[in-house]
Amino acid sequence: MAHKIAILGASGYTGAELVRLLSTHPSYDIVALSADRKAGQSMGQVFPHLRHVDLPVLVKIDEIDFSGVDLVFCALPHATTQNVIKALPSHLKVVDLSADFRLRDPADYEKWYGQPHAAVEMQREAVYGLTEFYRDDIRAARLVACTGCNAATGQFALRPLISAGLIDLDDIIIDLKTGVSGAGRSPKENLLHAELSEGTHAYGVGGVHRHLGEFDQEFSKLAGRKVEVQFTPHLLPANRGILATVYVKGDPQAIHAELSRAYADEPFLVVLPFGEHPSTRHVRGGNFVHLGVAGDRRSGRAIVIAALDNLTKGSSGQAIQNANLMLGEEETAGLMLAPVFP
Amino acid sequence: MAHKIAILGASGYTGAELVRLLSTHPSYDIVALSADRKAGQSMGQVFPHLRHVDLPVLVKIDEIDFSGVDLVFCALPHATTQNVIKALPSHLKVVDLSADFRLRDPADYEKWYGQPHAAVEMQREAVYGLTEFYRDDIRAARLVACTGCNAATGQFALRPLISAGLIDLDDIIIDLKTGVSGAGRSPKENLLHAELSEGTHAYGVGGVHRHLGEFDQEFSKLAGRKVEVQFTPHLLPANRGILATVYVKGDPQAIHAELSRAYADEPFLVVLPFGEHPSTRHVRGGNFVHLGVAGDRRSGRAIVIAALDNLTKGSSGQAIQNANLMLGEEETAGLMLAPVFP
Amino acid sequence: MAHKIAILGASGYTGAELVRLLSTHPSYDIVALSADRKAGQSMGQVFPHLRHVDLPVLVKIDEIDFSGVDLVFCALPHATTQNVIKALPSHLKVVDLSADFRLRDPADYEKWYGQPHAAVEMQREAVYGLTEFYRDDIRAARLVACTGCNAATGQFALRPLISAGLIDLDDIIIDLKTGVSGAGRSPKENLLHAELSEGTHAYGVGGVHRHLGEFDQEFSKLAGRKVEVQFTPHLLPANRGILATVYVKGDPQAIHAELSRAYADEPFLVVLPFGEHPSTRHVRGGNFVHLGVAGDRRSGRAIVIAALDNLTKGSSGQAIQNANLMLGEEETAGLMLAPVFP
Amino acid sequence: MAHKIAILGASGYTGAELVRLLSTHPSYDIVALSADRKAGQSMGQVFPHLRHVDLPVLVKIDEIDFSGVDLVFCALPHATTQNVIKALPSHLKVVDLSADFRLRDPADYEKWYGQPHAAVEMQREAVYGLTEFYRDDIRAARLVACTGCNAATGQFALRPLISAGLIDLDDIIIDLKTGVSGAGRSPKENLLHAELSEGTHAYGVGGVHRHLGEFDQEFSKLAGRKVEVQFTPHLLPANRGILATVYVKGDPQAIHAELSRAYADEPFLVVLPFGEHPSTRHVRGGNFVHLGVAGDRRSGRAIVIAALDNLTKGSSGQAIQNANLMLGEEETAGLMLAPVFP
């Protein structure tokens, strides 16, 4: 029997991506969709690519009867999210796509997000949603906090290397290129087509991007010591896709071998042959991560390049992968859709 | 039990799109893939977005053992195709994506394609593959000729109107905008990124585009008289998508009503409310057609706008829809994937 | 000696384009720049591509001392513009880029713009700024109203044909494709990169786009009778460029000959050889118009295709061309910059 | 009196860019244009954006009478170039845009380009064309070798820092994003629109890109010791623009101060305020370089970001800047065109 699903914040891009993926998922029924400002509209009006899907009309959150719902995907902005999730009935499983429950330490949350956390007790209970590394915890969790899309990309490149002690922890640089859909659907001058197409620029330069909070938390935990990476994101004139070019000090062949070993049985992780490199075009719309490794002419230096789709594996695909585990479904259910190229 | 499928010409974009769609199809197994110049490579090398799919290696056509194959998708260039299909074992069902078997009259083929047809007897047997209008014939066919992608778009807008006698047959203009993937993967100067991005231009202007052969054949047959439309395609700086803006003389409300009636039960055809208009972005990667109708300030004039994805509904999705009918599967099997937006 | 120039509304795209073109103009000095919301900022902060130009800081309009100014370019929104221009000192020459003074008849303004005109007396005095057709009036004018960018494109294709009586006036269709910069720099959801890239759609369908007011006024005046064209604009996923595909009934060769004749001595108009067609890529950033003509397989039908850059020849280049005439400079001064391709 | 100019290899993108820039240059006349495969065509046929310019028809090189020519721009492929330039009359000044004369040491040429140099004596005579750093040599030179476009970008970020001893020479990483026009106009599958739009990937990964030869030569010479940077280029889905994100160890404020000082009087170099960062969109079509500096949360680390247009400052604009010096013109003559945005 199908699980009953509600999506809060369905009028944003991650909300729409959840609906896209769930529309061919074999075992979930979407029974409620919320969108504050667009309540009363149909999903097909807000996102015409979903016109063919039979869906409930958009409502405000407090209009939803959660009694028959099994699991909620929460795709709301950070800060708003805490209060919404705190108020949800306790029988509900929750997969949160916001930043609100990613950081374990309330002080870290306040540092990176500029305000105290309003649901500290839940913050501690939440499980970090990078599926491949937290499977058992996710299966048992009531609240899973999906990762930042940039944070996921960097971690897929680096976690096995840190765990295996293969790289210098003091000299990690993540130069990241991301598509514009990660910035959401808010009308802002700097997100206009005329401003973003046909070029690139860096943003959040100088160690200030919020996903550093996730990198710090996860890498330090893995390493058993403080690890602070250097991280510079750039906006790419494309809608989807993240490419992380990661510069490390270590042996390239050993690094390639370790990534190959670590991800050998992972259905969504593809380690390319040594010296081949991924393209964001080849993961677009799919839940897959492509990874490549190369050396340098100077020994002891390596580059790891990781590519994923920020809306799929970086957000909504990851969220469904977690929901599958939480509800006892096949982890890959509904997620084997091949990327769309060209 | 799964049907055994071979794809000839798998290294082109329509070949790759077939594999993408078949990779999550519930009842087909791909048992052979051909690619002349890239024989010996894996599909994942030629199309890295398919790396996660377990597929046979690319071979030359004459290396394929067709004895266990049920159906062949043929995604080869026109002219080549005739000779290949003529030589295939007769037990095979064939879905052809080329232009070689679309035109019933050999003289028409010679006129539009500049050479005599080499398999005239098969040309007569072939069924025109516009599924929604040839279902029964397709179910019974051994050889189905999928339509041109532009030809499909224009026909979805116009066929019901011609059948119902709602428009002036002497004044039909199809102004069409098409993504660049329709031009294929051949290395040509005029298909380079630097030549095609950031702008648009018309091509095949003045009544010379080959898809006119299909329009003439189909519209004249429907109308019971000669119908010659005016058709101007433009290249759009986007990879996928066709938008046909069709100018007709007739009553806009009657036209909207007729399209709504004709497509009411069609799973892949979406007629938008009167005055709303489709975007190619909203059908990208899906097998759906979106249709809109508007009037003009002068009565008796209407615009019908149709959008579809040239690689999916315009080619490979259409091909699978036809294969589903030919093999007794659900017509929509494997094809309900939602479009990818943004 | 250099003429002193002020630009009102310098923080929009047409304002920036004026500054770009004037930065290498031999005989103008920009002495004042206004921007209401961005007053106090430098032009280089608002438009970093102009950082190398030495410019006055942005101020509010009422902070400008117009006593030493010779000519004002007004790049403000319509409706606002009327009141601003009405209040300017009478010694100033004014080139207006808004829609406020394009329509001669106040009733037409109210019909297309939804409100009464607030400066009716000036509306009558204003000269329509399509330079090639109103040169003498523009030379003598105090207030010139530059045309709509779509309206300019259509008129370059059609005016000589109407004047020469070469086409059927009741069956003119303008199918137009326009880049997104024409929609301006306002933060709106439907102008986001993620909403506009990678596809196309029609807007203002059904005879409701405001530039029809200009077409009606100008074509009817030329023809000496009411002329109502059909006009459908589409948004192109590119920043600059308009391509108008114009369907007419008339003799293609005669049409080509007449356009060639009419524009033979025009420095900015390029009529391509019969059967060749323009691309918006080839006029990007330049003040040129490219025109092509083709026939159809049915005699008596022709297509005229016109391409220009909406920000240059469609707006700010046209504005400077008019200013050159008004100030007694060479008409082409500062405007011979070649388009930027690729 | 105007200098007489010939351009060899005018049918490529750098050739077209030379013509674009020269078309409004006050003191040069183009008297000959060569294009081997397109000889006999007009420049306007090969590059319609130049149709309005009055130019000689394209010819083969050996059809050119060089007796009245003052300076030749050579925009031919590497390897071909050596033999062509060797055979030119000795009275000609030559600005070469190929890679053939950039490297001083013939062994380096052979290492990076895979074949012995055929004009070793000229290779020694050639002056490296990074104008801002070789002005006096260029003024006196007969043969100037313009730099690689990537090599130029990295050097603008790094040369003053190496000269001033401000950064660790053993830990320099250049992560570079480049537009596709740098790959030229050759018809190759991997340069098609459908292959390159909507995503990004790294290429030449692992210390193998040929522009490393230039970095090694120039940085080692400046430092007085061997310097080997790490350099990874990525293809950006845009036609023009290079963004180099350079990771160094040093004091960010000192670095910003030194770049500001070094470039204070340079007309084409713009150092942004500390913490602001360039975008390739803002240098598109112009001869300017924008530079930004930021620190990191860890002290002693800095990022320098440099942006330029690969076809202008990275190639053809640089070439004209050098020609201006060689012919005694103002260095900035014809090159102050503002970038085209949006």
Side-chain angles (χ1 to χ4, degrees):
Chain A
M1 210 188 67
H3 306 284
K4 306 292 186 203
I5 302 294
I7 298 174
L8 310 184
S11 63
Y13 292 140
T14 54
E17 184 74 349
L18 285 165
V19 174
R20 174 177 81 90
L21 295 168
L22 293 175
S23 74
T24 46
H25 195 289
S27 43
Y28 296 159
D29 273 359
I30 298 174
V31 298
L33 294 168
S34 92
D36 206 45
R37 283 175 303 114
K38 299 191 176 170
Q41 297 187 43
S42 73
M43 196 65 177
Q45 288 174 291
V46 176
F47 285 113
H49 68 296
L50 300 170
R51 274 189 186 271
H52 68 285
V53 190
D54 188 24
L55 291 168
V57 74
L58 295 169
V59 297
K60 290 179 183 293
I61 294 174
D62 55 19
E63 299 176 75
I64 300 178
D65 172 7
F66 287 104
S67 62
V69 174
D70 298 309
L71 183 142
V72 169
F73 290 104
C74 190
L76 297 165
H78 76 265
T80 305
T81 298
Q82 306 164 23
N83 295 305
V84 168
I85 290 184
K86 200 163 59 172
L88 289 176
S90 63
H91 79 276
L92 286 173
K93 292 178 189 289
V94 179
V95 177
D96 183 29
L97 286 80
S98 86
D100 270 5
F101 295 100
R102 292 171 187 164
L103 301 182
R104 290 290 70 72
D105 183 340
D108 282 347
Y109 183 84
E110 190 163 347
K111 171 182 162 195
W112 290 104
Y113 292 89
Q115 57 189 315
H117 203 285
V120 172
E121 64 296 349
M122 296 195 74
Q123 192 188 21
R124 293 223 175 85
E125 168 201 350
V127 171
Y128 191 67
L130 199 67
T131 328
E132 283 75 5
F133 298 95
Y134 286 95
R135 270 196 184 94
D136 293 342
D137 293 340
I138 290 166
R139 267 195 200 93
R142 190 177 87 77
L143 169 59
V144 170
C146 292
T147 72
C149 52
N150 298 323
T153 317
Q155 288 182 68
F156 284 121
L158 283 165
R159 291 186 72 116
L161 312 183
I162 294 173
S163 294
L166 286 176
I167 57 173
D168 181 345
L169 298 174
D170 294 318
D171 242 347
I172 299 170
I173 292 175
I174 303 174
D175 187 283
L176 188 137
K177 298 88 182 165
T178 179
V180 306
S181 62
R185 210 185 196 188
S186 303
K188 295 179 185 161
E189 181 182 293
N190 65 349
L191 299 180
L192 297 180
H193 185 282
E195 301 288 319
L196 287 186
S197 64
E198 304 172 16
T200 193
H201 67 276
Y203 68 99
V205 185
V208 301
H209 192 285
R210 285 161 167 177
H211 289 185
L212 280 168
E214 291 176 64
F215 284 134
D216 289 358
Q217 169 180 290
E218 295 299 309
F219 292 154
S220 299
K221 187 171 149 197
L222 273 184
R225 49 155 279 197
K226 186 173 180 182
V227 177
E228 290 187 316
V229 302
Q230 197 166 357
F231 165 52
T232 313
H234 301 73
L235 263 182
L236 191 69
N239 289 337
R240 287 168 177 254
I242 295 178
L243 191 88
T245 309
V246 184
Y247 296 89
V248 294
K249 290 182 175 157
D251 178 60
Q253 294 289 353
I255 285 169
H256 186 260
E258 178 58 19
L259 288 173
S260 301
R261 191 203 59 73
Y263 296 137
D265 297 326
E266 288 295 345
F268 296 119
L269 280 116
V270 178
V271 180
L272 307 180
F274 189 86
E276 292 186 25
H277 299 289
S279 166
T280 58
R281 299 166 193 93
H282 299 138
V283 293
R284 184 181 175 102
N287 202 50
F288 301 93
V289 183
H290 285 193
L291 289 150
V293 180
D296 187 45
R297 49 190 182 158
R298 290 173 301 167
S299 67
R301 294 167 196 256
I303 294 175
V304 185
I305 306 182
L308 55 73
D309 182 320
N310 54 300
L311 289 180
T312 318
K313 185 60 174 167
S315 295
S316 303
Q318 181 193 107
I320 292 171
Q321 197 178 344
N322 289 332
N324 285 345
L325 291 177
M326 295 162 80
L327 293 170
E329 298 294 325
E330 272 295 313
E331 184 177 330
T332 58
L335 294 173
M336 294 305 290
L337 308 182
V340 176
F341 173 87
Chain B
M1 210 188 67
H3 305 285
K4 307 293 185 201
I5 302 293
I7 299 174
L8 309 185
S11 64
Y13 292 141
T14 54
E17 184 74 349
L18 285 165
V19 174
R20 174 177 82 89
L21 295 168
L22 293 175
S23 74
T24 46
H25 195 290
S27 43
Y28 295 158
D29 273 358
I30 298 173
V31 298
L33 294 168
S34 92
D36 205 45
R37 282 175 305 114
K38 298 192 175 169
Q41 298 187 42
S42 73
M43 196 66 177
Q45 287 174 290
V46 176
F47 286 113
H49 68 295
L50 300 171
R51 275 189 185 271
H52 68 284
V53 190
D54 189 23
L55 291 167
V57 75
L58 294 168
V59 297
K60 289 180 184 293
I61 293 174
D62 56 18
E63 299 177 75
I64 298 177
D65 172 6
F66 287 104
S67 62
V69 174
D70 299 308
L71 182 143
V72 169
F73 291 103
C74 191
L76 296 166
H78 75 265
T80 304
T81 298
Q82 306 162 24
N83 295 305
V84 168
I85 289 183
K86 200 164 57 170
L88 289 175
S90 63
H91 77 278
L92 286 173
K93 292 176 189 289
V94 180
V95 178
D96 183 28
L97 287 80
S98 86
D100 269 5
F101 295 99
R102 293 172 187 163
L103 301 182
R104 291 288 71 72
D105 183 340
D108 283 347
Y109 182 84
E110 190 164 347
K111 171 182 162 194
W112 290 104
Y113 292 90
Q115 56 190 314
H117 202 285
V120 173
E121 64 297 349
M122 297 197 73
Q123 194 188 17
R124 293 223 176 84
E125 167 200 353
V127 171
Y128 191 66
L130 198 67
T131 327
E132 283 73 7
F133 298 95
Y134 286 94
R135 269 197 186 94
D136 293 342
D137 293 340
I138 291 167
R139 267 195 201 93
R142 190 177 87 77
L143 169 59
V144 170
C146 293
T147 73
C149 52
N150 298 324
T153 317
Q155 288 182 68
F156 284 122
L158 283 165
R159 291 185 73 114
L161 312 183
I162 295 173
S163 294
L166 287 176
I167 57 174
D168 181 344
L169 298 174
D170 293 317
D171 241 347
I172 300 170
I173 292 175
I174 303 175
D175 188 282
L176 187 139
K177 298 88 182 164
T178 177
V180 306
S181 63
R185 209 186 196 188
S186 302
K188 294 180 187 160
E189 183 183 291
N190 64 350
L191 300 180
L192 297 179
H193 184 283
E195 301 288 320
L196 287 186
S197 64
E198 306 173 13
T200 194
H201 67 277
Y203 68 101
V205 185
V208 301
H209 193 287
R210 287 161 167 178
H211 289 185
L212 280 168
E214 292 176 63
F215 284 134
D216 289 359
Q217 168 180 290
E218 295 298 309
F219 293 154
S220 299
K221 187 172 149 197
L222 274 184
R225 51 155 279 197
K226 187 172 179 184
V227 177
E228 290 186 314
V229 302
Q230 196 165 358
F231 164 52
T232 314
H234 300 74
L235 263 182
L236 191 69
N239 289 336
R240 287 169 177 253
I242 295 178
L243 192 87
T245 308
V246 184
Y247 297 88
V248 293
K249 291 182 175 156
D251 177 59
Q253 295 289 354
I255 285 169
H256 186 260
E258 178 59 19
L259 289 173
S260 302
R261 192 203 58 72
Y263 295 138
D265 297 325
E266 289 296 344
F268 296 120
L269 279 117
V270 178
V271 179
L272 306 181
F274 189 86
E276 293 187 25
H277 299 288
S279 166
T280 59
R281 300 166 193 93
H282 299 137
V283 293
R284 185 182 174 100
N287 202 50
F288 302 93
V289 183
H290 286 194
L291 289 150
V293 180
D296 187 45
R297 50 190 182 157
R298 289 175 300 168
S299 67
R301 294 169 194 256
I303 294 175
V304 184
I305 305 182
L308 54 73
D309 183 321
N310 55 300
L311 288 180
T312 317
K313 184 61 173 166
S315 295
S316 303
Q318 180 192 109
I320 292 171
Q321 196 178 345
N322 289 332
N324 285 343
L325 292 177
M326 295 162 80
L327 293 170
E329 298 294 324
E330 273 293 314
E331 184 177 329
T332 59
L335 294 173
M336 294 305 290
L337 308 182
V340 176
F341 173 87
Chain C
M1 208 188 67
H3 305 283
K4 307 292 185 203
I5 302 295
I7 299 173
L8 309 185
S11 63
Y13 291 140
T14 54
E17 184 74 349
L18 284 166
V19 175
R20 174 176 81 88
L21 295 169
L22 293 176
S23 74
T24 45
H25 195 290
S27 44
Y28 296 159
D29 272 359
I30 298 174
V31 298
L33 294 168
S34 92
D36 204 46
R37 281 174 307 111
K38 298 191 177 171
Q41 296 187 43
S42 72
M43 196 65 177
Q45 287 175 293
V46 175
F47 285 113
H49 68 296
L50 300 171
R51 273 188 187 273
H52 68 284
V53 190
D54 189 24
L55 290 167
V57 75
L58 295 169
V59 297
K60 289 179 183 294
I61 293 174
D62 55 19
E63 299 176 74
I64 299 178
D65 172 6
F66 287 105
S67 61
V69 174
D70 299 306
L71 182 143
V72 169
F73 291 104
C74 191
L76 297 166
H78 74 265
T80 304
T81 297
Q82 305 162 24
N83 295 305
V84 168
I85 288 183
K86 200 163 58 172
L88 288 176
S90 63
H91 78 279
L92 286 173
K93 291 177 189 289
V94 180
V95 178
D96 183 28
L97 287 80
S98 86
D100 270 5
F101 295 99
R102 293 172 188 163
L103 301 182
R104 291 288 71 72
D105 183 341
D108 282 346
Y109 183 83
E110 189 163 350
K111 170 182 163 195
W112 289 106
Y113 292 90
Q115 55 190 316
H117 202 284
V120 172
E121 63 297 351
M122 299 196 72
Q123 193 186 18
R124 294 222 176 88
E125 166 200 352
V127 171
Y128 191 65
L130 199 66
T131 328
E132 284 75 6
F133 298 96
Y134 286 94
R135 270 196 186 94
D136 293 341
D137 293 340
I138 291 167
R139 268 196 200 93
R142 190 177 86 78
L143 169 58
V144 170
C146 292
T147 72
C149 51
N150 298 323
T153 318
Q155 288 181 69
F156 284 121
L158 284 164
R159 290 186 73 114
L161 313 183
I162 294 174
S163 294
L166 286 176
I167 56 173
D168 180 344
L169 298 174
D170 294 317
D171 241 347
I172 299 169
I173 293 176
I174 302 175
D175 188 284
L176 187 138
K177 300 85 181 165
T178 177
V180 305
S181 63
R185 209 185 196 188
S186 303
K188 295 180 186 161
E189 182 182 292
N190 64 350
L191 299 180
L192 297 180
H193 184 283
E195 301 288 320
L196 287 187
S197 64
E198 304 172 16
T200 194
H201 68 277
Y203 67 100
V205 184
V208 300
H209 192 287
R210 286 162 166 177
H211 289 184
L212 280 168
E214 291 175 65
F215 285 134
D216 289 359
Q217 168 179 292
E218 295 298 310
F219 292 154
S220 299
K221 186 171 149 198
L222 274 185
R225 51 155 280 197
K226 186 172 181 183
V227 177
E228 290 187 314
V229 301
Q230 196 166 0
F231 165 51
T232 314
H234 300 73
L235 262 181
L236 191 69
N239 290 336
R240 288 169 177 254
I242 295 179
L243 192 87
T245 309
V246 184
Y247 296 89
V248 293
K249 291 182 176 157
D251 177 60
Q253 295 289 354
I255 285 170
H256 186 261
E258 178 58 20
L259 289 173
S260 302
R261 191 203 59 73
Y263 296 138
D265 297 326
E266 289 295 345
F268 296 119
L269 280 116
V270 179
V271 180
L272 307 181
F274 189 85
E276 291 187 28
H277 299 289
S279 165
T280 59
R281 299 165 193 93
H282 299 139
V283 292
R284 185 183 175 101
N287 201 51
F288 302 93
V289 183
H290 286 195
L291 290 150
V293 179
D296 188 44
R297 50 188 181 157
R298 290 174 300 168
S299 67
R301 294 167 196 256
I303 294 175
V304 184
I305 306 182
L308 55 73
D309 182 321
N310 54 301
L311 289 180
T312 317
K313 185 61 175 165
S315 296
S316 302
Q318 179 192 108
I320 292 171
Q321 196 177 344
N322 290 331
N324 286 343
L325 291 178
M326 295 162 79
L327 294 169
E329 299 293 325
E330 271 295 311
E331 183 177 330
T332 59
L335 295 174
M336 293 305 290
L337 307 182
V340 176
F341 173 86
Chain D
M1 208 189 66
H3 306 283
K4 307 292 183 203
I5 302 294
I7 299 173
L8 310 185
S11 64
Y13 292 140
T14 54
E17 184 74 349
L18 285 165
V19 174
R20 174 177 81 88
L21 295 169
L22 293 176
S23 74
T24 45
H25 195 291
S27 43
Y28 295 159
D29 272 358
I30 298 174
V31 298
L33 294 168
S34 92
D36 205 47
R37 283 176 302 113
K38 300 192 176 170
Q41 298 187 42
S42 73
M43 196 65 176
Q45 287 174 292
V46 176
F47 286 112
H49 68 296
L50 300 171
R51 273 189 187 271
H52 68 284
V53 190
D54 187 24
L55 291 167
V57 76
L58 295 169
V59 297
K60 290 180 184 292
I61 294 174
D62 55 18
E63 300 176 75
I64 299 178
D65 172 6
F66 287 105
S67 61
V69 174
D70 298 307
L71 183 143
V72 169
F73 291 103
C74 191
L76 296 166
H78 74 265
T80 305
T81 298
Q82 306 163 23
N83 295 306
V84 168
I85 289 184
K86 201 164 56 173
L88 289 175
S90 63
H91 77 277
L92 287 173
K93 292 177 189 288
V94 180
V95 178
D96 183 29
L97 287 79
S98 86
D100 270 5
F101 295 100
R102 293 172 188 163
L103 301 182
R104 292 287 73 70
D105 184 340
D108 282 347
Y109 183 84
E110 189 164 349
K111 172 182 163 195
W112 290 105
Y113 292 90
Q115 56 189 316
H117 202 284
V120 173
E121 64 297 348
M122 297 196 73
Q123 193 187 19
R124 292 223 177 84
E125 169 199 350
V127 172
Y128 191 66
L130 199 67
T131 328
E132 284 74 5
F133 299 95
Y134 286 94
R135 270 196 185 94
D136 293 341
D137 293 340
I138 291 166
R139 267 194 202 95
R142 189 177 87 78
L143 170 58
V144 170
C146 292
T147 71
C149 52
N150 298 323
T153 318
Q155 288 182 68
F156 284 121
L158 283 164
R159 290 186 73 115
L161 313 183
I162 294 173
S163 294
L166 286 176
I167 57 172
D168 181 344
L169 298 174
D170 294 318
D171 242 347
I172 299 170
I173 293 175
I174 303 174
D175 188 283
L176 187 138
K177 299 88 181 164
T178 179
V180 306
S181 63
R185 210 185 196 189
S186 303
K188 294 180 185 161
E189 181 182 293
N190 65 350
L191 298 181
L192 297 179
H193 185 282
E195 301 288 319
L196 286 187
S197 64
E198 305 173 15
T200 194
H201 68 277
Y203 67 100
V205 184
V208 300
H209 192 287
R210 286 162 165 177
H211 289 185
L212 280 168
E214 291 176 65
F215 285 135
D216 289 0
Q217 168 180 291
E218 295 298 309
F219 292 154
S220 298
K221 186 172 148 196
L222 274 184
R225 50 155 280 197
K226 187 174 181 183
V227 177
E228 291 186 314
V229 303
Q230 197 166 358
F231 165 51
T232 314
H234 300 73
L235 263 182
L236 193 67
N239 289 337
R240 288 169 178 253
I242 295 179
L243 191 87
T245 309
V246 185
Y247 297 88
V248 293
K249 290 183 176 156
D251 178 59
Q253 294 288 355
I255 286 169
H256 185 261
E258 177 59 20
L259 289 173
S260 302
R261 191 202 60 72
Y263 295 137
D265 297 325
E266 289 295 345
F268 296 119
L269 280 116
V270 178
V271 179
L272 307 180
F274 189 86
E276 292 186 26
H277 299 289
S279 165
T280 58
R281 298 166 193 92
H282 299 138
V283 293
R284 185 184 175 99
N287 202 49
F288 302 93
V289 183
H290 285 193
L291 290 151
V293 179
D296 187 45
R297 51 190 181 157
R298 290 174 301 167
S299 67
R301 293 167 196 258
I303 294 176
V304 184
I305 306 182
L308 56 73
D309 182 320
N310 54 300
L311 288 181
T312 318
K313 185 62 174 166
S315 296
S316 302
Q318 181 193 108
I320 292 171
Q321 196 177 345
N322 290 330
N324 286 343
L325 291 177
M326 295 162 80
L327 294 170
E329 300 293 325
E330 273 294 314
E331 183 177 330
T332 58
L335 295 173
M336 294 306 290
L337 308 182
V340 176
F341 173 87

